[in-house]
């Protein structure tokens, strides 16, 4: 079974600085998707960034980028120029590819999350 | 384009009662899945529906059930509520097929069992 581990329960960063959140996962599959979701106090899960395992190039979305190391099964999130609005819980998630015959689109397996605080 | 809509947003139930939560996916999305979030267990997958059929199920007791309608809207039901069922229930939808596989979440339904 796949597992996702986030080893940092809490992190803190100064406004405008850079912070990296760690995530490792375990799987025997060769193709899959990885995601980072942000959950602010409103509790809505907001997609931050996604990475397809077959792509070697690391995904980037504005101030957010990932360091995807497939062999090491590592998927860290880097937030540059941190802003107060970045303060939230961040969840790393793994998703398998859709099944051809069973029809499942694949469910998400989440890590326990990292609480990020941003200091002004 | 409207996001994933969940109703009700907040509810309080008594132990032993049953509850039904509703979810309307993003227009065009045919896959709907449900997750339970608690402080102790984190985010856990409940079940997934696609084309009105349950395609995948997490490790939850039979008291948890769901269904999907022809318009892709979904409901989940919890019978004989227990205190431990108090949680945030998140519904998520995704487009099916090769053109995208990102899951989008609703704002959740807060269930408190007293």
């Amino acid at each position: 079974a796949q597992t996702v581990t986030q080893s940092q329960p809490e992190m803190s960063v100064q406004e405008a600085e850079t912070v990296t959140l760690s995530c490792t996962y375990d799987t025997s599959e060769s193709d899959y998707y990885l995601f980072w979701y942000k959950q602010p106090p409103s509790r809505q899960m907001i997609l931050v960034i996604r990475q397809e395992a077959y792509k070697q190039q690391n995904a980037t979305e504005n101030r957010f980028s990932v360091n995807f190391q497939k062999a090491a099964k590592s998927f860290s999130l880097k937030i540059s120029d941190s802003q107060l609005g970045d303060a939230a819980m961040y969840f790393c998630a793994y998703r398998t590819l859709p099944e051809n015959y069973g029809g499942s689109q694949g469910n998400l397996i989440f890590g326990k999350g990292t609480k990020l605080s941003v200091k002004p | 384009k409207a996001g994933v809509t969940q109703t009700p947003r907040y509810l309080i139930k008594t132990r032993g009662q049953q509850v039904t939560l509703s979810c309307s996916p993003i227009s065009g999305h045919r896959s709907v899945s449900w997750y339970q979030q608690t402080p102790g267990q984190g985010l856990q997958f409940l079940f997934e529906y696609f084309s009105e059929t349950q395609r995948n199920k997490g490790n939850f007791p039979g008291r948890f059930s769901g269904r999907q309608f022809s318009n892709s809207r979904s409901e989940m039901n919890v019978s004989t509520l227990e205190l431990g069922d108090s949680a945030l229930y998140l519904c998520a939808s995704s487009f099916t097929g090769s053109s995208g596989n990102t899951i989008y979440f609703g704002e959740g339904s807060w269930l408190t069992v007293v």
Side-chain angles (χ1 to χ4, degrees):
Chain A
Q2 298 91 356
T3 59
V4 177
T5 302
Q6 292 179 250
S7 59
Q8 307 152 316
E10 295 189 27
M11 291 282 285
S12 181
V13 63
Q14 205 72 32
E15 195 175 7
E17 301 277 298
T18 295
V19 65
T20 298
L21 308 184
S22 300
C23 172
T24 58
Y25 58 95
D26 190 25
T27 183
S28 58
E29 299 174 335
S30 60
D31 222 351
Y32 45 86
Y33 294 87
L34 295 166
F35 302 87
W36 278 98
Y37 282 91
K38 167 185 175 181
Q39 189 177 45
S42 68
R43 305 306 291 272
Q44 178 163 18
M45 298 287 281
I46 300 167
L47 176 68
V48 175
I49 200 165
R50 61 176 262 173
Q51 174 82 43
E52 291 90 341
Y54 65 88
K55 290 187 177 179
Q56 293 186 336
Q57 186 174 6
N58 290 323
T60 300
E61 289 286 342
N62 301 314
R63 299 182 294 108
F64 300 87
S65 61
V66 299
N67 183 5
F68 173 49
Q69 301 289 328
K70 191 173 183 179
K73 296 179 183 174
S74 171
F75 183 59
S76 60
L77 175 69
K78 186 171 82 171
I79 306 174
S80 304
D81 185 25
S82 296
Q83 300 175 0
L84 295 178
D86 294 334
M89 282 290 289
Y90 285 82
F91 292 94
C92 177
Y94 170 102
R95 188 184 192 190
T96 56
L97 288 181
E99 294 179 0
N100 288 325
Y101 302 105
S104 172
Q105 298 304 299
N107 58 281
L108 289 169
I109 299 167
F110 288 92
K112 292 294 187 184
T114 297
K115 183 178 182 180
L116 177 66
S117 302
V118 181
K119 298 178 181 177
Chain B
K1 188 164 162 179
V4 180
T5 305
Q6 291 187 245
T7 57
R9 292 292 318 281
Y10 304 91
L11 65 166
I12 300 174
K13 290 287 187 178
T14 303
R15 194 170 44 182
Q17 286 186 314
Q18 66 95 26
V19 66
T20 299
L21 308 178
S22 180
C23 172
S24 293
I26 292 172
S27 178
H29 285 192
R30 294 167 58 201
S31 175
V32 174
S33 49
W34 291 87
Y35 293 81
Q36 181 197 63
Q37 185 175 22
T38 60
Q41 298 299 316
L43 283 148
Q44 294 185 285
F45 168 70
L46 278 156
F47 28 63
E48 173 198 5
Y49 286 87
F50 170 55
S51 292
E52 302 175 63
T53 302
Q54 188 179 91
R55 304 290 180 166
N56 196 3
K57 189 177 188 303
N59 189 25
F60 278 82
R63 300 185 297 107
F64 291 81
S65 63
R67 60 178 176 169
Q68 186 181 35
F69 302 95
S70 58
N71 61 357
S72 295
R73 190 177 70 85
S74 177
E75 289 180 348
M76 68 161 282
N77 183 79
V78 188
S79 63
T80 319
L81 284 165
E82 300 176 359
L83 296 179
D85 297 333
S86 295
L88 176 66
Y89 289 89
L90 291 163
C91 173
S93 74
S94 68
F95 184 79
T96 55
S98 60
S99 59
N101 206 29
T102 297
I103 295 182
Y104 297 92
F105 285 82
E107 293 182 294
S109 291
W110 280 100
L111 170 64
T112 301
V113 182
V114 297

